[in-house]
Amino acid sequence: MKIFARIVARTLACLSVFLPFMSHAQNYPSRPITIVVPYGPGSGNDMIAREVAQQLTQIMKTTVLVENKAGATGNIATDYVAQAKPDGYTIFLTSTSSIINQVTNPAVKTDLSKDFESIAFAASLPYVVAVPPSLPAKSLSDVVKLAKASPGKLNYNGPSGSVSDYLGTKLKASNNLDMVMIPYKSTSDAQVDVLAGRIQVWFTTAASAVGLAKGDKVRVIAVTGDKRLAALPDVPTVKEAGIPDMFTEVSFFFVAPAGTPKDIVEKLSQSIDIALQSKDVESRFANMSVQVKKGSPAEVNGHIKAEMTKWSDIARNISK
């Protein structure tokens, strides 16, 4: 009996350790989930998050909300989610922009590779180079000529440490140009000044620019990806335009605060994967010039680490 009692005691002890972890995903979700995005309404992050949230609401049978926390090049949102309770009810749709900001801004304390649990990819998209119709430039070479003719007179959008800043820096460095970076909270925030002609060169996501280009509100003169956009087939890539160093594509991915139970992370990952299989999502993404991108938590984690190394090297080379 003593042996039997010891076996029972040990079994109960083991169950007391594992049962809490086993029950996390069984009761999850029991209330609304919030997807935090680091930029304002109309940004690439925002539009992608809202499409996925709509699908997740049906798949996970709970309300999935999108909350915009713009500012400080995405740091406000990043810090907010990193400090949130790791219970799966606050997750973060971030992107390559946050990686660039982390490796180029010494003031950034939150580490995407250490302070979060990777969940899943969401999408990828190129940036574009656009100008207001009032600017007499129909190509990147025209912009280069204008900048050389009027040093310090052409403005482009930031903020510092963003993909936009990187592209502007690359354009300047490759042609020895004097152009002025104007910081904005996001590429969409710069849109008003682009339409008013106060920003002459707009580096933004294809998703933000295609509709405006079709309405003749802006002129898209180059695509930063490796192929032309189906929505704007006459616009050349930066490689075709003669500045291959400006090539870049942005990946969007979901993460949760470090310490989020692995079974909840896995449930979120599987649900997002199902959401991305939706024909509605694929169609709406295509309309935004966005491509569906899928991957496991391990693949996202590997991507974050690889991109940090890549962008750290790029930043060092630019600063030389």
Side-chain angles (χ1 to χ4, degrees), residues 197-267:
R198 291 186 288 268
I199 291 291
Q200 288 75 42
V201 183
W202 189 29
F203 299 106
T204 188
T205 61
S208 298
V210 167
L212 292 171
K214 288 185 175 182
D216 296 324
K217 299 292 181 65
V218 299
R219 183 185 302 120
V220 176
I221 58 175
V223 179
T224 68
D226 60 359
K227 57 185 178 182
R228 296 188 180 199
L229 297 176
L232 299 172
D234 295 331
V235 178
T237 65
V238 287
K239 183 177 181 180
E240 292 173 323
I243 312 179
D245 286 349
M246 287 181 67
F247 167 81
T248 192
E249 286 186 329
V250 174
S251 291
F252 295 83
F253 47 92
F254 288 96
V255 295
T260 301
K262 293 191 181 301
D263 55 349
I264 287 182
V265 168
E266 189 58 36
K267 189 166 187 176

Side-chain angles (χ1 to χ4, degrees), residues 46-249:
D46 177 73
M47 291 189 287
I48 291 168
R50 292 184 188 281
E51 292 297 337
V52 175
Q54 185 175 345
Q55 295 296 321
L56 287 179
T57 293
Q58 300 175 20
I59 295 165
M60 303 192 80
K61 302 188 186 312
T62 192
T63 302
V64 180
L65 308 168
V66 175
E67 183 175 357
N68 302 91
K69 283 192 172 293
T73 322
N75 293 338
I76 291 175
T78 305
D79 292 346
Y80 174 82
V81 177
Q83 295 164 17
K85 187 176 181 179
D87 55 7
Y89 291 100
T90 302
I91 63 176
F92 189 28
L93 179 63
T94 187
S95 68
T96 305
S97 295
S98 294
I99 293 175
I100 296 173
N101 184 43
Q102 180 177 322
V103 301
T104 58
N105 186 351
V108 175
K109 303 303 180 186
T110 304
D111 190 326
L112 279 170
S113 66
K114 297 177 181 178
D115 298 323
F116 297 93
E117 304 289 347
S118 299
I119 299 174
F121 283 111
S124 65
L125 84 164
Y127 264 52
V128 299
V129 187
V131 299
S134 58
L135 192 76
K138 295 185 177 181
S139 65
L140 269 181
S141 60
D142 286 345
V143 169
V144 170
K145 291 175 184 176
L146 287 172
K148 287 186 174 180
S150 303
K153 298 298 183 182
L154 294 190
N155 298 329
Y156 67 94
N157 60 302
S160 299
S162 65
V163 175
S164 300
D165 185 28
Y166 161 74
L167 290 170
T169 301
K170 265 304 194 185
L171 177 61
K172 291 190 295 183
S174 61
N175 293 277
N176 194 28
L177 303 178
D178 179 6
M179 297 171 62
V180 180
M181 189 274 283
I182 307 297
Y184 292 87
K185 288 183 178 180
S186 70
T187 58
S188 57
D189 287 334
Q191 179 179 310
V192 172
D193 283 351
V194 173
L195 298 179
R198 291 186 288 268
I199 291 291
Q200 288 75 42
V201 183
W202 189 29
F203 299 106
T204 188
T205 61
S208 298
V210 167
L212 292 171
K214 288 185 175 182
D216 296 324
K217 299 292 181 65
V218 299
R219 183 185 302 120
V220 176
I221 58 175
V223 179
T224 68
D226 60 359
K227 57 185 178 182
R228 296 188 180 199
L229 297 176
L232 299 172
D234 295 331
V235 178
T237 65
V238 287
K239 183 177 181 180
E240 292 173 323
I243 312 179
D245 286 349
M246 287 181 67
F247 167 81
T248 192
E249 286 186 329

